[in-house]
Amino acid sequence: MNLSDSSVPVTRNTFWGISLVALSTLMYEILLTRIFSVTMGYHFAFMAVSLAMFGMTVGAIFVYLFPKKFPQEKINDILARQAFYFSITTLISFLIHLFIPFIHGMSVIGMLVTAFTYTEISVPFVFSGICISLLLTRFPDSVNKLYAADLIGASLGCVLVVFVLNISGGPTGVFITALISAVAALFFMQNSGIKGKLNKLVIVYSIIIALFSIFHTVLVNDHSPLLRLFWVRGEWSDKPLYEKWNSFSRVSIDGDSTKYEVPFGWGLSNKYDRSRKIRQLMLNIDAHSTTVLSHFNGDTTELFHLKYDVSNLAQYLRSNGDVLIIGSGAGRDVLSSLAFGQKSILGIEINKDMIKAINGDFGGFTGHLDKYPNVEFVGDEARSYIQRMDSGRKFDIIQVSVIDNWSAAASGAFVLTENALYTVETWKLLFSRLKPEGILTVTRFYRSKPIEHYRLMNICSDALNSSGITDIRSHVMLIKCQQLERIEDRSGTGTLLISKAPFTESEINTVDSLNRTFDFEPVITPKRVSDSVFVKLTSAASERKKFNSDFPVNVESPTDDKPFFFHYMKFQDLFNVSFWKEWDMGFNARAIFILLTLTVTMTGLSLLCIVVPLKITSKKVNLKGTLPYFLFFITIGLGFMLIEISQIQRLNIFLGHPTYSLAAALFTLLLSSGIGSYFSGANKPDLFKNSIKRFIALICVLILFGALTPYIIIAFREYSTEIRILVSVLTLFPIGLLLGMAFPLGMKLASLKTGGSDITPWLWGINGVMSVLATIVSILIAMSFGISASYWTGAFCYLLAMLSFLVIYKRSVK
């Protein structure tokens, strides 16, 4: 039964409709990743991607299993209704998530709530999947143009969502997404016979949503929204004093500006008199990472508590100097440098909204730090900015205090947000920016088993070795503070001091004196050590390499190709409960467990989406000879996502900002793939003539790109952001152009097969399921073997796709 019908025309309204559905689908998917980051946690944010793809796949499978419910003569009516249902369910599912707390855990209630949340969030994507599946499978003569419109719409969505988040915030963004899909329904209605009440209903509905979106955007910018995230990680959240969304975070500020409290500190000495209180507010990023806004009226004596913090030890060793602060956050480290009377202070913060908040909305509370002549704030990613900085500008102190805290590790945020700050390449760059006697000071939480600091010491040793320094021990000191307030969570604070020149006898004695004064504990210095592991980690490179390979956990130095600083556990130890309890690695075990659970779950669901439709329809549809089609759509689904995600991860380091990497990689690949689809020749009578040439060109370009990219990154890493974005776009565009040709060619071939139009929704669904699976597999590959390995696996998938295409071609000419 061939359901396609050339008598149903593809009009301009059809192209507008599919573009807007694709645009709103991708927007909602990205919005959910941001919203889930706050309401559920970073690892559940990643689940938004899988839920979206899976929901769309279910829609495609539904089209395949029940074709009679979608008669071709009423296809435009159906498309209009499905787009409208997508819009309505988007709002309903979001509001349900907004008002019902998410409870996660191994309890029955926890599992039921999790299952309910996943189910209700995936519903809108089912309608989106039905809509797009019908468009890509019922019009085979125009599949290349429709797929092009689909991808171009999606590419615009990934750019538009950045502006929507910045201007309107997350909750309002959902309403804007619903508005766009409702407009898509209106375009489809222009081709259909739907008139009267339903048409008027959609128009009125769209006007109401548009007016509400405008009204609520005004309220959001006035910090008085009607809709906000009421439940955060299962707990009721009071309205914050300040809230600002952007494309990669949600910044909120809470507290009572008139109340005096014990000073917040990363490693506040227990010798500090807790009765000496200060006024402060707490700043939260995605409700996970916390820092502090301290009240400051210009009197540095008000900052006495900062001289009791272990993170500021370097300030005692280098006075009246030039200080670079990486991750200036809410200004605490800037205040520390002011308290110690440093000559110049440069604070680099990736989140510009934080800088605006502390110096703008809360400038009266924080003392308008940006007004001080010796203080400079820069809104940029640190590594990227330092690479472009005048090479002659050097610093006495480079300070890094708890950037990317335990929330990232505890949630398993391995995906797109890994911080390239903790790689050997970055530390080599930081050392190059120190004056001859400059100090790099890095503070992080110090657990009972200090695996983070083991890894930091490895990075330090490798970076110093690369700089020609072999006597590591004379250049490092690690000092620990077990703050009273952190005893319950067993997290002390450790500050690693790394001097470009060997520490002098006087400096060592100064630190020893400070340790006695503040009750700090020296873990390793040039003269003493309390943990023998650090002796091994500061030894010769060959000895250190052997020690690392035999060590129970993975503490080797992260690199740009494997920047997973928070990944310590070896996969084989995941189910060894006694092991990860011994090493205090419950956070890492949970993160890996989530990833592996996702892998198993999505693999199981993938098999169901393949086997169940096959079982149900095996007697109704001629499936003979479909294996090559099956393999073709599996491999291009896996290959596209493996390449896409690996490039987002790679560009995150090259461009230095998650927004830039998302826009450059996702936007460029989707846009160029859409253009490639349009010119794929899938609508030409001589389909096979040039298809093999296109596949050969694709494989050659993938090989060339994989080989040259590392050199391109090195060659352009010190150029301006605009130039690096341009280089990224020009590099990715030819790949996307050729990648976009594979899907329409495959769909056209499947539709030409006898009875093939019956299986095209199934094939599209398989392609979608493999894309879901690839989002998880790519991370596992990158964590184990590196980002490059993930890319080359994707390239190999396209080689297999080409071989499947050749088999299809040979069978067709017999």
Side-chain angles (χ1 to χ4, degrees):
M1 178 178 62
N2 194 326
L3 292 170
S4 61
D5 185 355
S6 59
S7 64
V8 179
V10 176
T11 69
R12 183 177 298 177
N13 291 324
T14 311
F15 290 114
W16 274 109
I18 190 173
S19 291
L20 292 176
V21 169
L23 187 154
S24 56
T25 299
L26 190 68
M27 276 189 66
Y28 189 40
E29 180 181 331
I30 295 176
L31 283 168
L32 284 178
T33 65
R34 295 299 326 123
I35 292 167
F36 282 5
S37 291
V38 181
T39 61
M40 300 162 72
Y42 287 118
H43 48 298
F44 295 103
F46 175 60
M47 272 299 293
V49 178
S50 298
L51 285 172
M53 298 297 292
F54 182 72
M56 294 180 71
T57 299
V58 170
I61 298 301
F62 191 79
V63 171
Y64 170 68
L65 292 176
F66 307 101
K68 292 183 179 180
K69 292 184 177 293
F70 308 97
Q72 187 70 7
E73 63 273 12
K74 296 183 178 180
I75 196 68
N76 284 311
D77 291 12
I78 294 170
L79 290 171
R81 293 177 186 275
Q82 297 301 319
F84 186 46
Y85 297 158
F86 174 37
S87 176
I88 293 174
T89 54
T90 293
L91 294 182
I92 293 173
S93 66
F94 170 68
L95 291 173
I96 290 173
H97 179 68
L98 202 63
F99 289 101
I100 295 180
F102 177 75
I103 303 171
H104 174 64
M106 297 308 295
S107 65
V108 174
I109 294 178
M111 288 187 283
L112 288 174
V113 170
T114 301
F116 172 78
T117 300
Y118 287 176
T119 301
E120 62 98 4
I121 287 294
S122 65
V123 169
F125 296 105
V126 174
F127 294 110
S128 168
I130 291 173
C131 196
I132 294 178
S133 175
L134 287 171
L135 285 161
L136 295 180
T137 60
R138 294 296 182 86
F139 304 97
D141 292 339
S142 302
V143 66
N144 61 318
K145 295 179 181 180
L146 287 167
Y147 189 54
D150 171 57
L151 292 177
I152 291 171
S155 69
L156 294 175
C158 78
V159 174
L160 181 59
V161 72
V162 173
F163 294 99
V164 168
L165 277 166
N166 282 324
I167 297 170
S168 302
T172 315
V174 175
F175 279 78
I176 294 173
T177 299
L179 172 64
I180 293 171
S181 51
V183 173
L186 291 173
F187 275 107
F188 289 129
M189 284 182 179
Q190 299 303 307
N191 294 338
S192 72
I194 297 178
K195 304 295 180 184
K197 292 184 179 179
L198 182 58
N199 187 279
K200 292 178 181 177
L201 174 64
V202 176
I203 292 173
V204 172
Y205 167 86
S206 300
I207 293 172
I208 292 173
I209 298 299
L211 291 175
F212 177 82
S213 299
I214 295 170
F215 171 69
H216 203 256
T217 296
V218 174
L219 293 180
V220 166
N221 286 278
D222 192 44
H223 304 297
S224 56
L226 297 175
L227 289 178
R228 59 180 180 86
L229 302 185
F230 300 104
W231 295 93
V232 174
R233 302 178 73 182
E235 297 182 359
W236 178 262
S237 175
D238 293 326
K239 183 180 178 181
L241 301 175
Y242 172 93
E243 182 182 63
K244 182 68 173 71
W245 291 78
N246 57 44
S247 60
F248 60 97
S249 72
R250 174 239 192 197
V251 176
S252 63
I253 297 176
D254 302 273
D256 183 349
S257 62
T258 64
K259 183 180 179 182
Y260 283 81
E261 301 173 322
V262 175
F264 174 89
W266 300 124
L268 187 64
S269 167
N270 295 328
K271 295 290 187 179
Y272 177 78
D273 181 3
R274 263 56 177 179
S275 66
R276 300 180 68 179
K277 298 181 179 181
I278 65 169
R279 292 161 60 191
Q280 58 189 10
L281 296 171
M282 304 309 296
L283 184 148
N284 296 288
I285 303 173
D286 288 348
H288 298 276
S289 303
T290 301
T291 186
V292 64
L293 282 78
S294 300
H295 178 261
F296 182 53
N297 60 9
D299 180 6
T300 55
T301 60
E302 188 182 7
L303 307 175
F304 53 85
H305 62 284
L306 295 174
K307 295 191 176 184
Y308 284 76
D309 201 295
V310 71
S311 63
N312 291 324
L313 280 176
Q315 304 271 3
Y316 286 97
L317 302 179
R318 300 291 182 268
S319 59
N320 194 33
D322 300 307
V323 180
L324 167 61
I325 298 167
I326 296 178
S328 56
R332 184 178 182 277
D333 289 340
V334 174
L335 288 175
S336 296
S337 293
L338 286 173
F340 280 90
Q342 299 295 356
K343 181 172 62 177
S344 72
I345 306 161
L346 171 62
I348 305 177
E349 173 56 53
I350 190 172
N351 199 323
K352 295 181 181 180
D353 288 327
M354 292 175 68
I355 298 176
K356 292 178 182 177
I358 66 170
N359 293 322
D361 295 71
F362 292 86
F365 183 81
T366 61
H368 288 287
L369 299 178
D370 57 327
K371 304 294 185 183
Y372 284 75
N374 62 331
V375 175
E376 177 186 1
F377 284 94
V378 172
D380 206 335
E381 192 274 332
R383 173 170 167 174
S384 172
Y385 182 81
I386 294 170
Q387 283 177 331
R388 306 192 312 271
M389 188 188 297
D390 179 7
S391 59
R393 188 175 184 182
K394 307 288 185 179
F395 299 91
D396 295 283
I397 298 174
I398 297 179
Q399 185 167 6
V400 183
S401 300
V402 198
I403 305 300
D404 271 357
N405 69 12
W406 282 95
S407 65
S411 61
F414 297 130
V415 194
L416 307 177
T417 59
E418 274 295 330
N419 198 328
L421 180 62
Y422 301 114
T423 67
V424 174
E425 292 87 347
T426 299
W427 282 37
K428 286 168 60 179
L429 173 66
L430 297 181
F431 289 152
S432 72
R433 297 299 183 175
L434 288 172
K435 293 181 181 180
E437 295 183 350
I439 294 176
L440 169 63
T441 170
V442 182
T443 300
R444 291 204 58 79
F445 296 129
Y446 196 100
R447 311 289 285 190
S448 56
K449 292 284 188 177
I451 50 179
E452 275 206 32
H453 283 83
Y454 291 160
R455 175 160 279 173
L456 287 175
M457 192 62 77
N458 257 322
I459 301 172
C460 167
S461 297
D462 286 337
L464 286 175
N465 282 166
S466 298
S467 303
I469 297 172
T470 56
D471 183 18
I472 308 298
R473 181 78 179 269
S474 65
H475 291 259
V476 300
M477 286 193 275
L478 175 58
I479 310 301
K480 173 189 173 184
C481 170
Q482 182 56 69
Q483 186 175 328
L484 288 172
E485 288 82 359
R486 297 188 183 278
I487 290 178
E488 286 188 9
D489 64 6
R490 298 178 299 165
S491 62
T493 306
T495 294
L496 179 61
L497 303 173
I498 311 161
S499 177
K500 196 168 185 179
F503 282 110
T504 65
E505 186 77 18
S506 174
E507 290 167 347
I508 296 170
N509 291 336
T510 297
V511 172
D512 284 342
S513 176
L514 291 169
N515 290 338
R516 290 190 296 271
T517 300
F518 296 130
D519 196 23
F520 295 153
E521 177 187 341
V523 179
I524 184 170
T525 71
K527 288 187 173 182
R528 64 185 69 189
V529 63
S530 62
D531 186 341
S532 61
V533 172
F534 288 104
V535 176
K536 296 290 186 180
L537 297 177
T538 54
S539 60
S542 57
E543 185 178 347
R544 191 169 67 253
K545 182 178 180 181
K546 184 178 185 306
F547 177 81
N548 284 329
S549 64
D550 295 335
F551 202 63
V553 296
N554 178 13
V555 293
E556 294 180 351
S557 301
T559 63
D560 284 355
D561 195 49
K562 290 178 68 176
F564 303 99
F565 179 81
F566 295 106
H567 175 48
Y568 304 97
M569 180 174 286
K570 298 174 181 179
F571 286 105
Q572 63 265 27
D573 295 320
L574 175 61
F575 299 102
N576 187 346
V577 177
S578 60
F579 174 81
W580 51 261
K581 283 186 176 180
E582 175 191 353
W583 283 90
D584 196 16
M585 294 180 64
F587 69 94
N588 203 199
R590 183 166 57 252
I592 297 175
F593 181 78
I594 288 168
L595 280 177
L596 293 181
T597 299
L598 287 175
T599 304
V600 172
T601 301
M602 298 317 301
T603 301
L605 292 174
S606 300
L607 291 174
L608 286 175
C609 287
I610 294 170
V611 174
V612 172
L614 180 65
K615 185 72 174 176
I616 294 175
T617 62
S618 59
K619 295 181 180 180
K620 301 178 183 179
V621 179
N622 179 19
L623 297 174
K624 184 178 180 180
T626 57
L627 181 60
Y629 297 91
F630 173 80
L631 293 175
F632 179 84
F633 283 95
I634 283 180
T635 50
I636 65 171
L638 287 170
F640 190 91
M641 290 303 294
L642 286 169
I643 290 171
E644 179 181 270
I645 291 178
S646 66
Q647 294 320 297
I648 293 175
Q649 290 175 317
R650 182 174 281 168
L651 290 182
N652 201 31
I653 295 172
F654 179 52
L655 298 179
H657 201 291
T659 301
Y660 298 155
S661 63
L662 179 70
L666 195 56
F667 171 75
T668 302
L669 283 175
L670 289 173
L671 178 64
S672 57
S673 295
I675 296 172
S677 172
Y678 187 88
F679 292 104
S680 64
N683 60 335
K684 301 293 179 62
D686 54 345
L687 176 64
F688 291 105
K689 186 175 181 180
N690 295 313
S691 295
I692 299 302
K693 292 181 181 178
R694 291 185 173 93
F695 269 105
I696 293 173
L698 171 60
I699 300 301
C700 291
V701 167
L702 289 175
I703 293 172
L704 190 65
F705 177 83
L708 295 180
T709 299
Y711 300 100
I712 294 173
I713 289 175
I714 292 172
F716 289 93
R717 64 187 177 187
E718 295 182 7
Y719 282 71
S720 67
T721 300
E722 292 78 12
I723 294 296
R724 285 178 289 120
I725 290 175
L726 179 62
V727 169
S728 302
V729 170
L730 293 177
T731 305
L732 290 172
F733 196 87
I735 297 178
L737 198 68
L738 293 166
L739 288 176
M741 295 182 178
F743 181 85
L745 289 172
M747 292 301 288
K748 183 65 176 180
L749 283 176
S751 67
L752 292 175
K753 181 184 179 296
T754 303
S757 59
D758 290 341
I759 67 166
T760 49
W762 180 42
L763 295 174
W764 185 81
I766 290 172
N767 179 263
V769 170
M770 290 302 109
S771 297
V772 175
L773 189 59
T775 58
I776 305 166
V777 171
S778 64
I779 304 162
L780 295 175
I781 294 174
M783 287 168 60
S784 302
F785 307 105
I787 295 172
S788 297
S790 181
Y791 171 82
W792 287 114
T793 304
F796 180 71
C797 285
Y798 273 96
L799 177 61
L800 295 179
M802 184 179 75
L803 296 176
S804 300
F805 191 87
L806 286 172
V807 172
I808 296 171
Y809 171 69
K810 288 182 179 180
R811 289 183 178 180
S812 68
V813 297
K814 287 183 180 180

